[in-house]
Amino acid sequence: MNTISFNEQETAKIRETVELYLFVKELLIYNEIIDPDSYTFPQIINELKNAYDHFNRVLAEKLEITENRGDDYSIKTLDKALGHIYRACYDALDWLSINITQDIKEDLKSFSHEAIKDVMPTYYKEIRPALPQYERRITALRTEKDIASINDDALSEYTQIVKDLSDIRQKIKDSVDAAIPGLLFCFHPSCLKLYRRSSLIFFVM
C-alpha cells in the first residue's frame, strides 16, 4: 500500500490552504443563516471545486496513480489550489457584504425617520454615515485584489469590514426586536405623521 509524504514546503502550503478553506466554510455557513434562501454565489462553489481538483491531482501523483511529473509539480499545484481558495474567500466576503447590507436596509425600510431615531438614536449620526465609507473601501479592496499573490493584510482588512457590518446588522436587529412590542406599522402611503401616545409609537393616517 502506497504511503503519502509531504516535504516541509508542501506541508506549510497545505496547512495554509486548509486554514483558509475552513474560514471560507465559516463565511458560507454564516451567509446561510442570514439569507433565508440559503443561496450561495456559484463562483464560490466553482473556486472550491477547482481547489479540490488540484488537491486530488497532487494526491494522485503522490499515490502513483498518475505518473511523476517532476519535483516541483506538487508545490506548484498546491499553489494553484491555494489561489482558488483565496479567490473563494474574496468572493464569499463580497457576497456576504452584499447580503448584510441588504439585510440592514430591509430591517429598516418599514420605519419612518422619526421611529428609527427613537429606536436607535445613533443611527443617523454614526451608523448610516459609516455604511458608504465601508462600501467605498470594499470597492477599493476589490480593485486592488491580485489573484496572482496572497495579500494577507488586504484580506484581513476586508474580513474586519464584513465583521463590522455584521455587528451593525446585529445591533439594528436587537434594537428593532426590542422595540417591536411597542411599534405599530402602517404601510399605507398616507401615513405621514408619527406621534407618541402612552409610550407607544403609532403611525397616523
Side-chain angles (χ1 to χ4, degrees), residues 78-120:
L78 290 172
D79 272 332
K80 292 177 181 178
L82 177 59
H84 285 295
I85 299 295
Y86 176 69
R87 288 190 286 275
C89 188
Y90 257 97
D91 290 339
L93 289 169
D94 287 346
W95 189 240
L96 196 51
S97 67
I98 291 170
N99 283 342
I100 291 174
T101 303
Q102 289 178 341
D103 205 32
I104 290 172
K105 295 176 181 178
E106 185 71 20
D107 281 341
L108 296 176
K109 73 177 184 179
S110 300
F111 289 88
S112 70
H113 294 303
E114 291 82 0
I116 292 173
K117 286 192 292 185
D118 189 84
V119 172
M120 265 185 308

Side-chain angles (χ1 to χ4, degrees), residues 5 8 71 100 104-105 127 139 178 201:
S5 63
E8 185 176 348
D71 294 338
I100 291 174
I104 290 172
K105 295 176 181 178
I127 296 176
T139 300
I201 299 175

Side-chain angles (χ1 to χ4, degrees), residues 27-74:
L27 294 176
L28 295 180
I29 291 173
Y30 180 61
N31 186 70
E32 290 178 357
I33 293 173
I34 68 171
D35 183 358
D37 297 325
S38 296
Y39 177 77
T40 300
F41 189 50
Q43 185 59 28
I44 301 171
I45 304 300
N46 188 54
E47 294 294 351
L48 294 177
K49 182 182 69 175
N50 289 335
Y52 180 69
D53 180 68
H54 284 298
F55 261 120
N56 278 323
R57 292 182 189 184
V58 172
L59 293 177
E61 189 200 39
K62 292 284 186 178
L63 290 168
E64 298 180 357
I65 296 173
T66 58
E67 63 182 17
N68 188 294
R69 302 186 183 183
D71 294 338
D72 60 349
Y73 175 78
S74 291

Side-chain angles (χ1 to χ4, degrees), residues 167-180:
D167 290 343
I168 289 173
R169 170 188 173 274
Q170 191 60 52
K171 181 178 181 180
I172 290 174
K173 284 192 173 295
D174 290 343
S175 298
V176 170
D177 289 346
I180 280 178

